[in-house]
Amino acid sequence: MKPLINVHGPTNDSARNNSDCPHVVLPEEVFFTISIVGVLENLLVLLAVIRNKNLQSPMYLFICSLAVSDMLGSLYKILENILIMFRNTGYLEPRGTFETTADDIIDSLFVLSLLGSISSLSVIAADRYLTIFHALQYHSIMTMRRTVVILGVVWTFCTGSGITMVIFSHHVPTVLTFASLFPLMLLFILGLYVHMFLLARSHARKISRIPRTNMKGALTLTILLGVFIFCWAPFVLHILLMTFCPNNPYCACYMSLFQVNGMLIMCNAVIDPLIYAFRSPELRHAFKNMLFCSRCQWKC
């Protein structure tokens, strides 16, 4: 794997020798199992929205975008495990042309997962802002057609950026760009939250008349954002340390936990669908119909 997203942890031997911290290794079976669960859960979210017309709204389409991002992150680990298995059994030539090409494609999925998550959370934040402060004009502003266009632009940008980052992953500016997207997304959403708070103070009566579902959606976004930061921030910090202080013993000590940080990323894909189900009665009902009474959907 390239240095930008090497999931096997730091490969700098001198850094390990300068640190007294043992390299933490987690079983690949655990990664694989969590990744499978993440793919299945997020696939369930997508199927629920596709099969239920009452869920086909801008908000749930944006949630589907986040589910696709999570699913790509899980799929990345599954494909990587398969690639490693073929290499260890002798079916692939180590560092051969096919493995290098497959490696780049799999790495692109990982970067695309992060970019898609950042973009989806930002779009969801903007959508929640509109539902709260432009509730009367919301349906004329955020039409289904505009939603599809927004998602098309977002994923075109993410795909192009992801491929570019993998191609130029050995360059420091690429690493800085990759890492800077994380705080930029936080600043954007924080700016929306500050603006929402200031408007809420000056329009207290108006806010009190806002439908509960709109405020609940904003709280759901806050939970999703908190989980995303908790799961992805350690990895972003690792990338920065690996780039700027790979031989420092303190940096090496933190980098010895890299597989734990990778596990957190995989867990994010598992946790998000649970948040959707817990916070949304409509999705919860759709899951119930799909899992327990697909043949008697209208009777449940």
Side-chain angles (χ1 to χ4, degrees), residues 13 25 86 92 101 111-112 144 164 189 211-212 223 252-253 258:
D13 292 331
V25 179
F86 278 120
L92 285 179
T101 303
V111 178
L112 186 58
M144 288 294 290
T164 303
I189 296 179
R212 247 184 182 183
I223 298 172
C253 190
F258 186 67

Side-chain angles (χ1 to χ4, degrees), residues 40 44 51 283-295 300:
L40 293 177
L44 188 64
R51 293 182 56 179
L283 263 180
R284 197 160 55 240
H285 182 69
F287 291 157
K288 178 183 175 183
N289 286 338
M290 292 175 62
L291 294 174
F292 301 111
C293 52
S294 57
R295 294 184 180 181
C300 292

Side-chain angles (χ1 to χ4, degrees), residues 30 33 62 168 195 277 286:
V30 176
T33 302
F62 293 141
F168 298 101
H195 193 213

Side-chain angles (χ1 to χ4, degrees), residues 133 195-207:
F133 294 104
H195 193 213
M196 282 167 32
F197 174 74
L198 294 176
L199 286 177
R201 289 189 62 183
S202 59
H203 298 85
R205 292 184 180 179
K206 184 177 179 181
I207 295 296

Side-chain angles (χ1 to χ4, degrees), residues 20-87:
D20 296 328
C21 302
H23 184 58
V24 179
V25 179
L26 300 176
E28 286 295 330
E29 293 79 9
V30 176
F31 277 100
F32 191 76
T33 302
I34 293 178
S35 299
I36 290 290
V37 174
V39 169
L40 293 177
E41 284 188 1
N42 286 283
L43 186 60
L44 188 64
V45 173
L46 297 177
L47 291 175
V49 175
I50 292 172
R51 293 182 56 179
N52 293 269
K53 290 185 177 181
N54 61 314
L55 296 180
Q56 294 173 9
S57 64
M59 180 184 71
Y60 284 109
L61 288 186
F62 293 141
I63 286 178
C64 282
S65 177
L66 183 58
V68 169
S69 302
D70 288 337
M71 194 161 57
L72 288 175
S74 297
L75 187 61
Y76 152 80
K77 188 57 184 176
I78 294 172
L79 294 177
E80 186 201 49
N81 279 7
I82 294 174
L83 190 65
I84 292 173
M85 181 183 66
F86 278 120
R87 185 181 62 192

Side-chain angles (χ1 to χ4, degrees), residues 126-136 138 210-211 214-215 218:
D127 180 70
R128 292 300 87 199
Y129 177 86
L130 290 174
T131 58
I132 292 174
F133 294 104
H134 301 278
L136 297 179
Y138 174 77
I210 291 175
N214 292 354
M215 299 303 296

Side-chain angles (χ1 to χ4, degrees), residues 229-293:
I229 295 172
F230 178 80
C231 293
W232 280 90
F235 170 79
V236 175
L237 177 59
H238 172 91
I239 294 299
L240 293 174
L241 296 181
M242 187 169 62
T243 303
F244 295 105
C245 58
N247 297 318
N248 185 287
Y250 296 104
C251 295
C253 190
Y254 178 84
M255 288 188 289
S256 68
L257 301 173
F258 186 67
Q259 289 204 2
V260 177
N261 298 338
M263 181 71 71
L264 288 176
I265 294 174
M266 298 299 107
C267 289
N268 184 42
V270 175
I271 296 172
D272 280 353
L274 299 179
I275 296 174
Y276 307 149
F278 180 74
R279 298 291 302 172
S280 171
E282 296 87 357
L283 263 180
R284 197 160 55 240
H285 182 69
F287 291 157
K288 178 183 175 183
N289 286 338
M290 292 175 62
L291 294 174
F292 301 111
C293 52

